[in-house]
Amino acid sequence: MITPVMPTYARADLAFVRGEGAWLFDENGERYLDFAAGIAVCALGHAHPHLVAALNEQASRLWHTSNLYRIPSQEKLARRLVANSFADTVFFTNSGVEAIECGLKTIRRHFADTEPRRYRVITLEGSFHGRSIATISAAGQEKLIKGFDPLLEGFDRVAPNDIAALEAAIGPETAAVLLEPIQGEGGIRVLSPDYMQAVRALCDKHGLLLMLDEIQTGIGRTGRMYAYQWAGIEPDIMAIAKGLGSGFPVGACLAREEAAKEMTPGSHGTTFGGNPLAMAVGNAVLDIIDDAAFLDKVSRTAGHLQQALSQLPERYPAVFEELRGTGLMLGLKCAMPNTDVLAKARAQGLLLAPGGDNVVRLLPPLIIGEEEIAAACKALETAAEELSS
Ligand SMILES: *Cc1c(COP(=O)(O)O)cnc(C)c1O
């Protein structure tokens, strides 16, 4: 008999009742170190006092008015996102996939009047952009699309980090390129800065829009506000979500004025997107993360964690093959099924996230310190020792 909760997840038999910083507590009072952070969501950890205060304050005043009226906190968050990025304008959503949808619609609408034959989008193999029909069509991965035909037409996929393949895929109908600077669900596969720069140059040469999916990489995860900053390029459109609410559902589609100038009243909408609760939390998250000193600290912390983890593949070759990633978006490619590594780490009180390409992902809250790094490494070593023997 089907469960009341639609069984689309193979869940671990664990339920948490409380969180504090990087730690989660289950029903029996057992403590777990959360290096998955709700899949790269809880950037400031659990129950951060500044976020709790912002949400509580807003909750007792006003929850929802709709986008039929001005929402001052939405205007404020949009101004801040515009001020610290390439973008001139922002559409708020409740999730990552909705931010991608807004970007895909922005791409089509941009060309609709002037060059209507242009509608195709080039995407990368191994990518993940969400679970709607449009975004599974964009990613095209077998495990996402199985049984969901017919897919949305208009996506062309090429191998990542292969600029010749991308150039060869550009045709008269191509409108845009969509990519993740680091493929998250795909297994922490990093696009090289050279490749990112070459993609930008090709987009300029052929009059294409460059859209980035920074839903997982954005909001400080890599030690910069956005991962594109490492490559020294700027996109035309970008989707963000996960860390933006640090656990409160909120996403956003950012765009340059030129790319979004056809997104006029009536062209797109959302009932809940940009509501006062989400905006209160989003602003509170930026209070802390949109700060050079905070981001420097993330980079230093990431350096220490990477240093500590870098020895694992050499010491436990039967368990780990290599360490990948940037900042606090890390992956250990496993030499045995990653699900075995996840389960052993969990038994040691360490929560990790699975990833494609047989990777376990480490996506800790950005606020971790030396205590958490040491505890995570100890748990991983114990797990690896047990798995090696
Ligand atoms: C999580 C994620 C999405 C989907 O976000 P949802 O909020 O689950 O819709 C899309 N792209 C990337 C890169 C992601 O990591």
Side-chain angles (χ1 to χ4, degrees), residues 95-98 100 128-130 180 185 213 215-216 241-242:
S95 66
V97 73
E98 293 167 74
I100 299 280
F128 179 81
H129 300 296
E180 301 157 80
E185 305 304 301
D213 179 345
I215 290 168
Q216 193 161 151
K242 295 197 163 97

